[in-house]
Amino acid sequence: MNICFFHGSRPGRFFGCLLLCIFLMMLMPHMVRAAEVNELGITEDEGPNENRTVINDPGTAEDRGDLRELNVANNLTVTYQDGEGNLSGTLRILITLTLIALAPTLVIMMTSFTRILIVMHFVRSALGTQSAPPNQVLIGLSLFLTFFIMNPVITQINDNAIRPFEAGELTQTEFAETAIQPLREFMYGQTQTKDVRLFMDIDGIETVENIDDIPTRVLVPAFMISELRTAFIIGFLIYIPFIVIDMVVASTLMSMGMMMLPPTTISMPFKILLFVLADGWSLVIGNLVKTFY
């Protein structure tokens, strides 16, 4: 039995040639390196400085200035400011990309989006429709209503912060303080005092003299709690007429002896009819928007 790759079957010869080619490819870089070393007349342990990453050998530094020159090829320098008190362009780009990634979270936490979306879901649940309107429609409607409600705040930020900053009239610190002020005023107007007091007690703040003394880290969670409470109160009020319809339909079916028929099957068309005849979307959205003014 012949076991040699080159004298056996065709698969054996093929794999033998393949292994030989791989071996030669692995050996070729070392052969080329050895030829270069022999031509230059140097050993493997030394080489010309222009081909080396480490300019000076480790341990040869005498002061801080020498430390920077030991391995200049591997240094990474990040400039914090540009000499005028502003962040450098690299850090500004990094902060901008971070804010873009956090934009959805900021929209949810510091605008009217949360209240609107929760109320829209309550309306759909009260009607009894499982997926009409779908989530994409509710989120899109809530987003555009948020832009409509927050338009005065956005305009104020643009006029008082963005334009002066682009004109060079404000530093970056002044820009951040000026831009956050309209949002703070909006959130404080929608936040209940007991929610602010709750987080102030948790943070260890006893008393404040005015709104500006309330930290943003206290105002934002207090605003979120107040928005959730208000949204659930509105959702409860929306549920009341639809619960009455469910009770009337259930009582009617029970009096007729149709106890095996689910009441929601009969009540859902009546709830949709009542909602359409009363122009429910205009009533809900109109009064919901008015709660922010």
Side-chain angles (χ1 to χ4, degrees):
M1 179 177 179
N2 194 349
I3 59 174
C4 181
F5 284 131
F6 297 97
H7 298 283
S9 59
R10 290 182 179 179
R13 291 196 298 270
F14 172 76
F15 285 109
C17 294
L18 181 61
L19 292 175
L20 180 61
C21 292
I22 294 175
F23 176 75
L24 292 177
M25 292 175 63
M26 297 175 61
L27 188 61
M28 188 174 297
H30 299 281
M31 298 173 63
V32 174
R33 174 62 180 170
E36 292 177 353
V37 170
N38 292 332
E39 291 178 0
L40 295 175
I42 57 178
T43 62
E44 291 289 343
D45 296 332
E46 62 181 4
N49 289 337
E50 61 270 11
N51 295 330
R52 299 179 60 189
T53 300
V54 179
I55 304 302
N56 298 323
D57 295 331
T60 59
E62 298 179 356
D63 54 13
R64 293 185 177 182
D66 294 339
L67 289 176
R68 297 181 179 179
E69 299 179 358
L70 287 179
N71 198 355
V72 294
N74 293 337
N75 284 349
L76 177 62
T77 303
V78 177
T79 304
Y80 175 73
Q81 56 184 3
D82 57 1
E84 299 180 356
N86 297 326
L87 293 176
S88 61
T90 305
L91 289 182
R92 291 180 63 179
I93 294 174
L94 178 62
I95 294 174
T96 302
L97 294 177
T98 303
L99 291 178
I100 292 175
L102 295 177
T105 304
L106 297 177
V107 169
I108 293 174
M109 292 191 304
M110 305 176 67
T111 64
S112 58
F113 181 81
T114 301
R115 184 191 303 185
I116 297 173
L117 185 60
I118 293 177
V119 171
M120 292 294 104
H121 277 281
F122 270 116
V123 172
R124 187 176 66 179
S125 300
L127 287 173
T129 56
Q130 299 298 325
S131 59
N135 291 332
Q136 292 84 350
V137 174
L138 294 182
I139 294 175
L141 178 60
S142 302
L143 188 60
F144 277 98
L145 288 176
T146 300
F147 289 152
F148 176 79
I149 295 171
M150 301 297 295
N151 182 62
V153 178
I154 296 174
T155 302
Q156 190 175 356
I157 293 174
N158 183 50
D159 295 339
N160 298 338
I162 297 179
R163 290 184 178 179
F165 177 71
E166 292 178 349
E169 300 175 0
L170 297 177
T171 63
Q172 292 179 349
T173 303
E174 294 174 345
F175 165 75
E177 295 176 354
T178 307
I180 197 64
Q181 193 62 33
L183 285 174
R184 286 175 53 87
E185 294 177 358
F186 170 79
M187 289 188 293
Y188 187 79
Q190 305 298 326
T191 305
Q192 297 187 12
T193 305
K194 60 180 180 181
D195 294 327
V196 177
R197 172 54 58 187
L198 171 64
F199 287 97
M200 288 178 59
D201 293 339
I202 295 174
D203 198 40
I205 302 175
E206 296 182 357
T207 57
V208 292
E209 296 181 358
N210 50 38
I211 302 176
D212 296 333
D213 295 336
I214 301 176
T216 304
R217 67 179 183 274
V218 171
L219 187 58
V220 172
F223 170 74
M224 289 293 297
I225 296 297
S226 299
E227 287 293 285
L228 292 175
R229 180 184 293 106
T230 304
F232 272 75
I233 293 174
I234 297 174
F236 170 75
L237 296 177
I238 292 174
Y239 253 101
I240 292 177
F242 298 106
I243 291 177
V244 173
I245 295 176
D246 288 333
M247 294 175 61
V248 171
V249 172
S251 300
T252 303
L253 292 177
M254 185 173 296
S255 63
M256 295 174 63
M258 304 174 65
M259 293 178 293
M260 300 301 295
L261 182 63
T264 55
T265 305
I266 306 300
S267 63
M268 186 174 66
F270 288 100
K271 291 190 289 186
I272 295 176
L273 179 62
L274 174 64
F275 192 74
V276 172
L277 292 177
D279 198 7
W281 288 113
S282 297
L283 290 175
V284 171
I285 293 177
N287 289 280
L288 180 59
V289 172
K290 292 179 181 178
T291 59
F292 293 97
Y293 295 98

